């Protein structure tokens, strides 16, 4: 069974770049069966898909964030990462990483989430 | 982009009640719809995939139906542990995903 764990700074200054890493255990990030995604949830609000990556490096982004988002994968470390540039207070949220199976297209395994606050 | 609209945004119900939540897609998504349950401070948990398939380990009081643009999540007999927020998610444009706005199930 897959396990995912987010890591990264909990506080980022406005205009700087938010960087998070998701470490996958219990399976290979190079599996052809999965895409790997980032989802966020501002305090008290709903879920927002940020983007996804395949082990080959193919990326897919939410159009509303595309200009500021970069998702990358490191197969040697079984990790994938999120960078969100030029952050503002509106980017304050709990950030989740999750796996989405190619055949079922759902998000079956999730990390516990990490709160990132944008503040000076 | 495909938009997902959930209704109601909140519902008050009692233990034992039947609860129905609706999700509507802005265009046809076949059966590419999933439902999640989220409790405060926790990650969402997958309940239903492919519109009507029950995820392993999820109680059978949860069921999903629908195809095309209109979908329903039904809890047949609400239990105390079911008070939570529920989200739908379309995957017709996979791997691009969209979530509904959420439905909070509260104690009456």
């Amino acid at each position: 069974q897959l396990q995912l764990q987010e890591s990264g700074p909990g506080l980022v200054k406005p205009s700087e770049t938010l960087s998070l890493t998701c470490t996958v255990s219990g399976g290979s990030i190079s599996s052809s069966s999965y895409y790997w995604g980032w989802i966020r949830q501002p305090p008290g609000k709903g879920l927002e898909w940020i983007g996804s990556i395949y082990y080959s490096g193919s990326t897919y982004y939410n159009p509303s964030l595309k200009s500021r988002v970069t998702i990358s994968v490191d197969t040697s470390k079984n990790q994938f990462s999120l960078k969100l540039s030029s952050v503002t207070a509106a980017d304050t949220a709990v950030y989740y990483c999750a796996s989405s199976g190619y055949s079922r297209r759902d998000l079956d395994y999730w990390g516990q989430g990490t709160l990132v606050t944008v503040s000076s | 982009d495909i938009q997902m609209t959930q209704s109601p945004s909140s519902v008050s119900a009692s233990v034992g009640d039947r609860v129905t939540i609706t999700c509507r897609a802005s265009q046809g998504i076949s059966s590419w719809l999933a439902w999640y349950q989220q409790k405060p401070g926790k990650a969402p948990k997958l309940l239903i995939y492919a519109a009507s398939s029950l995820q392993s380990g999820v109680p059978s009081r949860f069921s999903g139906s629908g195809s095309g643009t209109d979908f329903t999540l039904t809890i047949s007999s609400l239990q105390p542990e079911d008070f939570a927020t529920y989200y739908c998610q379309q995957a017709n444009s996979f791997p691009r995903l969209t979530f509904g706005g959420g439905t909070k199930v509260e104690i009456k």
Side-chain angles (χ1 to χ4, degrees):
Chain A
Q1 157 166 332
L2 290 175
Q3 294 187 335
L4 292 85
Q5 178 68 57
E6 305 89 352
S7 59
L11 181 64
V12 181
K13 290 182 168 56
S15 80
E16 295 189 346
T17 296
L18 178 160
S19 296
L20 295 173
T21 296
C22 182
T23 301
V24 178
S25 58
S28 173
I29 204 168
S30 298
S31 168
S32 60
S33 300
Y34 279 98
Y35 285 74
W36 307 96
W38 289 97
I39 298 97
R40 71 178 183 177
Q41 185 172 37
K45 296 188 177 181
L47 301 167
E48 179 180 34
W49 173 74
I50 299 170
S52 296
I53 191 166
Y54 196 51
Y55 77 95
S56 62
S58 297
T59 52
Y60 308 84
Y61 298 136
N62 187 322
S64 68
L65 298 169
K66 186 175 182 178
S67 63
R68 298 194 292 131
V69 173
T70 302
I71 297 176
S72 58
V73 64
D74 187 336
T75 55
S76 67
K77 295 182 178 179
N78 232 33
Q79 295 176 335
F80 62 106
S81 298
L82 168 70
K83 292 188 184 298
L84 181 65
S85 64
S86 305
V87 297
T88 69
D91 295 309
T92 294
V94 175
Y95 286 76
Y96 296 99
C97 58
S99 60
S100 51
Y102 180 83
S103 60
R104 289 177 13 175
R105 306 188 180 186
D106 50 48
L107 294 158
D108 49 1
Y109 295 99
W110 294 67
Q112 65 185 25
T114 186
L115 174 63
V116 179
T117 302
V118 178
S119 175
S120 56
Chain B
D1 296 355
I2 301 173
Q3 308 300 318
M4 305 301 294
T5 303
Q6 274 184 248
S7 60
S9 57
S10 66
V11 57
S12 294
S14 301
V15 172
D17 284 353
R18 182 183 183 90
V19 173
T20 299
I21 299 168
T22 297
C23 185
R24 174 165 289 175
S26 59
Q27 64 189 71
I29 58 170
S30 185
S31 294
W32 295 115
L33 187 99
W35 290 98
Y36 302 85
Q37 176 194 67
Q38 187 180 33
K39 296 182 178 180
K42 299 294 186 181
K45 172 189 173 183
L46 177 65
L47 299 176
I48 302 286
Y49 64 94
S52 61
S53 296
L54 194 68
Q55 173 70 346
S56 175
V58 174
S60 59
R61 63 181 179 273
F62 291 93
S63 64
S65 65
S67 67
T69 59
D70 294 313
F71 301 86
T72 299
L73 173 70
T74 299
I75 310 171
S76 60
S77 178
L78 198 66
Q79 298 302 300
E81 60 269 30
D82 301 337
F83 292 97
T85 301
Y86 294 83
Y87 294 92
C88 63
Q89 168 245 306
Q90 71 80 21
N92 189 65
S93 52
F94 185 84
R96 297 175 177 84
L97 309 174
T98 313
F99 291 95
T103 296
K104 187 173 184 179
V105 177
E106 300 175 297
I107 301 172
K108 195 171 190 178

